[in-house]
Amino acid sequence: MKPNAAWRKILDGRVVALSHRVSISPLALANDERSFFAEIYGKEYSGVVKIDALSSRYTKIKRFTDPVNYQAAGDFDGRWLVWAEYHSLEDDLRDFTVWSWDSRTGRVRRIGAATRSPSGEFWPSAWQAPVAHRGYATWEQGAGPNEIGEIHVVELASGRDRVIRRGHPSGSFLIDGPRVIWPESMKKGALTEMRAADARTGRAVVAPPALRKLRGPIWPASSGGTLIYATNYQTSLWWSPSLSVAAKRVVVGRHAELLGIPFDEVWGRYTTFGVPLKTFVVDTVAGRYVRILRGGWAMTGPNAFVLLTPSKKKADHAITNIYYVPLKSLPPIPPCSH
């Protein structure tokens, strides 16, 4: 199937062109209709920035001390940007620190870091970026032998770090409450189930109705009040507009084409996903999706999404085209697109 022509046309003239040729990799969308956060790599500056897509200017947030090996992945909750800064390209992302940036004050603070085993090696952690929601951040990190891990929750205003779970959890995320959700297998060989805790106290609470009956392996994400997750070995995509309503399947995939991970949070009705060499936009309300790019990948936010096209050169920090597209400009998805 070729990329949809009508959708491909809306990308014309939307390339984000910075004043210097740099490599850009988006981290998160801002809560306006003109900017996003990214990691950039260039001769004058490499690090985390906020980019104004309309003016093509950027604001520096934190410089990478090693622009060759450092990379970042993170999330934005409307005020706080949180991200993991990974320090090696060859250690399965085990060596990292976690940072926050307050968009009101401009303060950058280190709020977490990977820990080492007695032999000096970093414990393996989940391949998932920290998540921010309503003034809190959460992530999972390795903490011991036999795949022991911890769920960390940080109150971003104070920087207080609380470990709310130690065991065998997978990557965590935040929902309204605020509550922390994570999948965990409660005994050897058992399917994962969704666990929940109060982000403010760390006390265990009952998972919301849309999550209670889920059994793994699943790959969930939420924007706080909505839910999206993948099942069937990452080939089926499910969505719910509310955590009190059971999800419906909006994409039926094939085992030969795994959906991209991590999945975007759902803001309103649109989200994105990718399979090898293809990028799609999903209208979760209509239950339709459309292919918009050959290769590359996309990231959705509350008011827009960004697309990154594949590079023609093989390099760790290759220069690619970045498109910034307001959601209000999207055309309808035709019923025959899938």
Side-chain angles (χ1 to χ4, degrees), residues 38-337:
E39 54 178 348
I40 68 171
Y41 299 87
K43 293 182 179 180
E44 297 183 357
Y45 176 87
S46 295
V48 176
V49 299
K50 182 179 182 181
I51 298 176
D52 186 315
L54 301 185
S55 68
S56 294
R57 296 178 179 177
Y58 63 84
T59 301
K60 299 175 184 178
I61 295 176
K62 184 181 182 299
R63 183 186 294 270
F64 291 149
T65 57
D66 181 352
V68 175
N69 293 301
Y70 280 23
Q71 55 187 318
D75 191 25
F76 183 63
D77 75 347
R79 173 179 175 179
W80 302 91
L81 176 69
V82 298
W83 72 95
E85 184 178 84
Y86 299 102
H87 303 146
S88 173
L89 302 176
E90 300 177 352
D91 67 352
D92 293 332
L93 306 182
R94 296 186 181 196
D95 177 7
F96 63 88
T97 50
V98 184
W99 299 84
S100 69
W101 174 74
D102 186 347
S103 62
R104 295 182 186 176
T105 67
R107 179 179 180 178
V108 175
R109 184 192 340 232
R110 197 180 93 152
I111 58 174
T115 56
R116 297 178 186 268
S117 68
S119 62
E121 298 178 346
F122 288 100
W123 299 116
S125 302
W127 285 20
Q128 180 175 324
V131 174
H133 184 63
R134 297 199 174 186
Y136 287 85
T138 186
W139 67 91
E140 186 276 344
Q141 68 180 61
N146 302 316
E147 299 182 348
I148 292 293
E150 296 175 339
I151 299 295
H152 286 249
V153 177
V154 173
E155 183 185 43
L156 293 169
S158 66
R160 180 184 178 184
D161 182 6
R162 181 194 300 272
V163 176
I164 65 164
R165 176 65 180 167
R166 182 179 174 89
H168 294 87
S170 297
S172 55
F173 61 97
L174 289 155
I175 62 173
D176 291 344
R179 289 167 287 175
V180 188
I181 308 291
W182 68 91
E184 184 172 1
S185 178
M186 303 310 294
K187 61 181 180 180
K188 188 175 181 179
L191 293 175
T192 58
E193 57 186 83
M194 305 308 295
R195 314 287 292 179
D198 189 312
R200 295 161 294 192
T201 65
R203 295 178 181 175
V205 296
V206 177
L211 294 166
R212 289 176 194 168
K213 295 183 179 180
L214 295 184
R215 296 295 182 268
I218 63 172
W219 291 264
S222 174
S223 59
T226 60
L227 174 68
I228 187 169
Y229 61 88
T231 61
N232 299 333
Y233 300 96
Q234 305 167 24
T235 61
S236 295
L237 193 64
W238 300 72
W239 168 79
S240 176
S242 168
L243 293 169
S244 62
V245 178
K248 64 176 181 179
R249 188 160 57 180
V250 294
V251 173
V252 180
R254 297 176 296 178
H255 286 278
E257 294 188 334
L258 301 183
L259 301 168
I261 290 181
F263 294 103
D264 279 326
E265 299 168 352
V266 179
W267 299 93
R269 65 186 297 165
Y270 293 103
T271 189
T272 57
F273 72 93
V275 300
L277 303 180
K278 301 173 185 177
T279 299
F280 296 83
V281 169
V282 181
D283 182 334
T284 56
V285 175
R288 301 172 182 175
Y289 60 95
V290 63
R291 179 181 168 188
I292 55 174
L293 283 180
R294 183 184 300 278
W297 59 273
M299 178 179 292
T300 314
N303 298 297
F305 67 85
V306 290
L307 304 174
L308 183 150
T309 59
S311 173
K312 296 180 180 179
K313 296 181 180 180
K314 292 184 178 180
D316 290 333
H317 305 306
I319 295 176
T320 61
N321 283 336
I322 301 290
Y323 298 89
Y324 183 89
V325 183
L327 295 181
K328 64 183 181 182
S329 69
L330 301 184
I333 295 178
C336 59
S337 60

